[in-house]
Amino acid sequence: ESKRMELAAKLRICIEAKGGKAEDLFKTIAGEDSDEMTKEEIWAFLEEHKCDIQREKLDALFPDAPAQQKDKEHDDKATTTNSKKKSSAAIITKERFTRVMRIFYKVVKEIVLSNSLLIDQSSQLRRMDVGEVMEVLQGPMLDPSVGVYRINGKALKDAASGWVTVAGNQGVTFLLPGGNVFKVVAPTVLAEDSKDTEGKVVVHQLKAGQILEVLEWTRTSRSALGVTRIKGKVQGHGAVGWATVMGSNGTKYLEP
């Protein structure tokens, strides 16, 4: 996990230094019209922007597939898209790259979510409670007016977007990296579909105490009736599917 966080941070710093955002990374490295990339393209991007990271860490996150598997991946991909990569290169899909690049922060002390990087020019959107999780879209970036680092992100609780302070200038910490794993606190189902509907196909019955590694997340609706669902992988089991964090009736099934 530390290797993944380091690589994600380095790549984010590179793109943000150019005025871009993390969401621009894939097309910047792979090319505007490509839906895949290779590890060598990532390494070339890191070297071009003088991002100091050991090659072994990149290899650990994106290990080379056996030759037969590479050929199969390439053949399968070629049936659905015009692949620009050679079968000798390990293919990294946009979905796989995005999962590695995701960074989450967890609220450890109540903090205000606001609408601007600069605190003295921002308006309060809402308060974030201890235990909430935010996916980082930009930053941490320095607010020079008060000398604190802030991140721009989206709260998993309700998809609210805004800026929050990581740590105050008096040494108080509000956010820490984390929130990419959730613990099952009440029995629920891991389903095939992201939609929380009746008759959904069940992949796995989740039991209290099991741990889910977050792969992606969504809200079923923008309204207050919507619920947050995460796509996760069950640690020690391998099942992958969607589960509801908290039901519309307030029942909590998962917690970070």
Side-chain angles (χ1 to χ4, degrees), residues 136-151:
V136 181
L137 304 179
Q138 283 181 281
M141 299 177 71
L142 179 67
D143 174 358
S145 65
V146 291
V148 298
Y149 281 92
R150 287 162 60 78
I151 59 170

Side-chain angles (χ1 to χ4, degrees), residues 104-108 128-134 156-157 176-185 210-214 228 230 244-246 252-256:
F104 295 95
Y105 271 66
K106 187 175 179 179
V107 180
V108 294
M128 294 194 73
D129 299 321
V130 173
E132 279 200 63
V133 175
M134 171 171 273
L156 269 66
K157 177 180 178 180
L176 286 173
N180 61 317
V181 292
F182 277 65
K183 182 179 180 180
V184 180
V185 294
Q210 288 189 294
I211 303 296
L212 280 178
E213 175 193 352
V214 180
T228 297
I230 64 170
T244 297
V245 175
M246 180 185 292
K252 184 182 290 186
Y253 300 104
L254 312 171
E255 66 178 15

Side-chain angles (χ1 to χ4, degrees), residues 41-254:
E41 287 177 314
I42 299 175
W43 183 247
F45 179 84
L46 289 165
E47 287 196 315
E48 178 186 349
H49 294 86
K50 297 179 173 60
C51 294
D52 184 25
I53 189 168
Q54 295 176 337
R55 176 60 190 251
E56 292 77 17
K57 294 179 180 179
L58 182 63
D59 291 337
L61 287 168
F62 298 110
D64 291 329
Q68 288 183 339
Q69 185 178 336
K70 288 180 185 177
D71 292 339
K72 183 180 186 303
E73 288 177 353
H74 182 266
D75 291 342
D76 291 344
K77 196 73 178 175
T79 63
T80 57
T81 186
N82 293 321
S83 174
K84 68 175 184 178
K85 317 299 180 212
K86 297 179 180 179
S87 59
S88 59
I91 293 172
I92 300 168
T93 63
K94 185 174 183 178
E95 180 182 17
R96 184 181 176 193
F97 180 77
T98 300
R99 287 176 182 172
V100 170
M101 287 304 302
R102 276 203 163 94
I103 292 180
F104 295 95
Y105 271 66
K106 187 175 179 179
V107 180
V108 294
K109 185 175 179 59
E110 191 177 84
I111 184 66
V112 169
L113 180 71
S114 58
N115 63 357
S116 174
L117 166 64
L118 303 177
I119 293 176
D120 59 0
Q121 297 178 18
S122 65
S123 300
Q124 180 175 326
L125 298 175
R126 72 168 177 85
R127 299 196 74 83
M128 294 194 73
D129 299 321
V130 173
E132 279 200 63
V133 175
M134 171 171 273
E135 180 176 5
V136 181
L137 304 179
Q138 283 181 281
M141 299 177 71
L142 179 67
D143 174 358
S145 65
V146 291
V148 298
Y149 281 92
R150 287 162 60 78
I151 59 170
N152 176 229
K154 184 176 286 189
L156 269 66
K157 177 180 178 180
D158 56 6
S161 297
W163 291 85
V164 289
T165 300
V166 176
N169 50 20
Q170 301 300 316
V172 178
T173 299
F174 298 103
L175 303 175
L176 286 173
N180 61 317
V181 292
F182 277 65
K183 182 179 180 180
V184 180
V185 294
T188 186
V189 298
L190 197 66
E192 199 172 79
D193 201 323
S194 62
K195 297 177 182 178
D196 189 24
T197 57
E198 294 293 331
K200 51 183 174 281
V201 178
V202 175
V203 175
H204 178 68
Q205 183 68 47
L206 292 169
K207 300 177 182 178
Q210 288 189 294
I211 303 296
L212 280 178
E213 175 193 352
V214 180
L215 303 178
E216 56 183 291
W217 66 280
T218 188
R219 290 281 293 173
T220 58
S221 170
R222 294 183 179 179
S223 74
L225 297 176
V227 296
T228 297
R229 285 172 61 77
I230 64 170
K231 184 178 184 180
K233 182 178 182 179
V234 183
Q235 288 188 358
H237 185 281
V240 175
W242 292 86
T244 297
V245 175
M246 180 185 292
S248 55
N249 62 356
T251 302
K252 184 182 290 186
Y253 300 104
L254 312 171

